[in-house]
Amino acid sequence: MVNQEIKPFSATAFHNGDFVPVTEQDLKGKWSVVFFYPADFTFVCPTELGDLADHYAQLQEMGVEVYAVSTDTHFTHKAWHDSSETIGKIKFPMIGDPTGQITRNFEVMIEEEGLALRGTFVMNPEGVIKVVETNDLGIGRSAKELIRKIQAAQYVAEHDGEVCPAAWQPGEETLAPSLDLVGKI
């Protein structure tokens, strides 16, 4: 899926106390993260979403919008937001995908369960997927790791001909692939 454009979709999200329409067009024009999780009112999911909520201001400063997606409805997202202190911190849109269209578009649907794998997708402002991470249900993700990947993707997008080595952090040295580097790293 890397370097593929996001596929069309239309859905409803719970966002800042309202139900709002969201399409793939809303994800364009800025860096976006689509963050799939299996289900509301579960166990690992609130830890991940709470971690993202704790890092949301930093993501916003980086010009990134986050969209959480599960196969629950937007009504269920509201009920969870209203009843959980952890989920109540969320300021980003929580998209309901009860038909599974978006989940299937991103190839993270567990068909026999009607749930999403833990899938994270980072799109550039053109709507092209640049980072993909998919985890099994029992393996939670880290917002800090996601932020580093987005920083690297943004750096590479802004610096033609440069690439970020393993564990790269902003301000560290990058690489400029060339014949001179072959066999010297």
Side-chain angles (χ1 to χ4, degrees), residues 42-173:
T42 56
F43 314 103
V44 176
C45 300
T47 67
E48 292 183 310
L49 292 170
D51 187 36
L52 264 180
D54 291 342
H55 291 86
Y56 185 58
Q58 181 181 0
L59 288 161
Q60 291 278 276
E61 288 171 13
M62 295 167 56
V64 178
E65 184 57 83
V66 175
Y67 298 87
V69 183
S70 77
T71 55
D72 297 293
T73 67
H74 53 287
F75 299 111
T76 306
H77 292 333
K78 180 190 183 318
W80 196 25
H81 190 274
D82 292 349
S83 65
S84 166
E85 186 177 320
T86 300
I87 301 307
K89 298 186 298 186
I90 292 175
K91 304 279 189 235
F92 47 82
M94 298 177 72
I95 299 174
D97 185 28
T99 67
Q101 175 195 12
I102 306 166
T103 306
R104 286 184 186 93
N105 282 357
F106 283 88
E107 300 176 9
V108 291
M109 177 65 88
I110 306 168
E111 290 296 340
E112 57 276 6
E113 296 182 38
L115 302 173
L117 290 166
R118 297 187 190 289
T120 309
F121 300 83
V122 176
M123 272 84 49
N124 69 12
E126 291 75 40
V128 176
I129 299 168
K130 292 297 177 180
V131 175
V132 175
E133 176 187 8
T134 307
N135 295 357
D136 194 11
L137 300 183
I139 303 167
R141 295 160 284 180
S142 163
K144 286 181 184 177
E145 292 173 2
L146 174 61
I147 287 168
R148 190 202 70 80
K149 291 175 188 178
I150 295 168
Q151 289 169 329
Q154 290 177 332
Y155 185 91
V156 169
E158 294 168 5
H159 298 87
D160 192 35
E162 292 184 49
V163 296
C164 297
W168 175 87
Q169 294 290 327
E172 293 181 354
E173 196 170 316

